[in-house]
Amino acid sequence: MRWPPWSSDQPRDERDESKEIKPTVSWTNSLNATDWSHYTDPRTVIPTVLLTGTALFFVHFYRSYLRRIPEAANIQPSFFRRRSIFGRVTSVGDGDNFRLFHTPGGRLAGWGWFPCRTVPEKRADLKARTIHVRLAGVDAPELAHFGRPEQPHAKEALDWLTSYIMHRRVRAYVYKRDQYDRVVSTVYVRRGLLRRDVGLQMLKRGLATVYEAKTGAEFGKVEEKYRRAEWWAKKRRRGMWAGGNKGFESPRDYKTRMGMGSPEEGKDLKL
């Protein structure tokens, strides 16, 4: 009788010998034995290459054109003079600068109608999420700053710029980032069916002068057009030029008289 009942009838030695001994296969031999033809089959290679290439293309496209830029400090140097920024103006703080919320791709990318693609309305939600823009090639009258008096027509320039671009979508062709972390840009806004150069419109209305700093002036390709617009406004005594040259003080001369070391010192802007 077998005891214990679950033991085998065969002796242990016979059981061990009856087990099949499996030969060991080295890793090299295993690789050599693999059928690699499946991986080199065009029916496998071509779809794999196409899928990988498409994925890489969309990643590159998103990073280049659809990724939102939160602040001026996040703009890469390679971006300047080559690309533009499209966004919605969220605030205007002076006659020649404002803030915009970058909306890459515009409505085609869902901005304004897709649930997660909306521009914040509250000031707290916009903190550290807007780009400070300085209009290139123009200089508007100075508002009161740090105890300095307001320059004539400064409020008029601010009010006009606010009514012209506030809450509108604009495109800024960026040239550089200045020492105040603003991007100096030529800015366009669509009014009706036409696209208008904001700086040029200010010059035509006599609400700004051509930027006259000795260094650092940026105009893109529109300097001659800007100077003609200033001449036109001066001749017709528009805005700042209403009183003629008698007693006229340009924004540049005002800054010099007030001892402002930099042409842009004192510019202040709320979010």
Side-chain angles (χ1 to χ4, degrees), residues 238-249:
R238 302 285 301 274
M240 300 169 62
W241 310 104
N245 291 327
K246 186 178 180 180
F248 174 77
E249 185 178 41

Side-chain angles (χ1 to χ4, degrees), residues 136-138 175 186 188 197 199-201 203-204 209-212 217-233:
V138 301
Y175 302 131
T186 298
Y188 291 87
D197 180 337
L200 181 64
Q201 297 304 314
L203 290 169
K204 286 182 176 181
T209 64
V210 171
Y211 191 84
E212 295 291 359
E218 291 285 352
F219 292 93
K221 299 179 180 180
V222 296
E223 181 176 1
E224 184 178 348
K225 186 187 296 184
Y226 277 19
R227 294 195 180 279
R228 284 201 307 266
E230 184 187 64
W231 172 85
W232 185 92

Side-chain angles (χ1 to χ4, degrees), residues 46-202:
I46 294 176
T48 302
V49 171
L50 289 176
L51 182 61
T52 304
T54 302
L56 291 175
F57 169 78
F58 278 110
V59 169
H60 173 74
F61 184 82
Y62 171 79
R63 296 184 64 181
S64 300
Y65 300 100
L66 297 179
R67 184 169 58 177
R68 213 185 74 77
I69 301 173
E71 295 184 282
N74 300 111
I75 301 176
Q76 298 298 321
S78 59
F79 203 94
F80 296 117
R81 302 184 184 279
R82 298 180 182 178
R83 302 278 300 280
S84 64
I85 295 174
F86 186 77
R88 184 186 178 196
V89 176
T90 59
S91 64
V92 179
D94 211 334
D96 49 29
N97 63 83
F98 59 91
R99 286 185 179 272
L100 69 80
F101 186 91
H102 186 214
T103 57
R107 294 188 65 83
L108 291 176
W111 289 103
W113 57 270
F114 198 70
C116 63
R117 288 273 185 169
T118 57
V119 178
E121 297 291 340
K122 296 181 179 179
R123 181 179 176 184
D125 296 334
L126 289 168
K127 187 175 182 180
R129 299 180 67 189
T130 57
I131 298 173
H132 196 171
V133 178
R134 169 65 162 87
L135 292 175
V138 301
D139 210 1
E142 294 290 322
L143 290 169
H145 291 294
F146 307 110
R148 301 186 184 102
E150 181 178 293
Q151 195 174 4
H153 299 283
K155 185 66 165 55
E156 183 183 352
L158 172 62
D159 291 344
W160 181 89
L161 184 61
T162 301
S163 65
Y164 201 68
I165 66 173
M166 187 64 177
H167 299 314
R168 289 184 175 271
R169 292 186 292 271
V170 301
R171 185 171 295 280
Y173 292 87
V174 296
Y175 302 131
K176 69 177 183 179
R177 185 168 59 244
D178 68 11
Q179 67 268 39
Y180 300 102
D181 216 19
R182 303 172 303 187
V183 285
V184 181
S185 316
T186 298
V187 179
Y188 291 87
V189 61
R190 191 166 294 281
R191 303 287 298 189
L193 299 177
L194 300 177
R195 195 177 74 151
R196 303 287 190 180
D197 180 337
V198 177
L200 181 64
Q201 297 304 314
M202 294 196 71

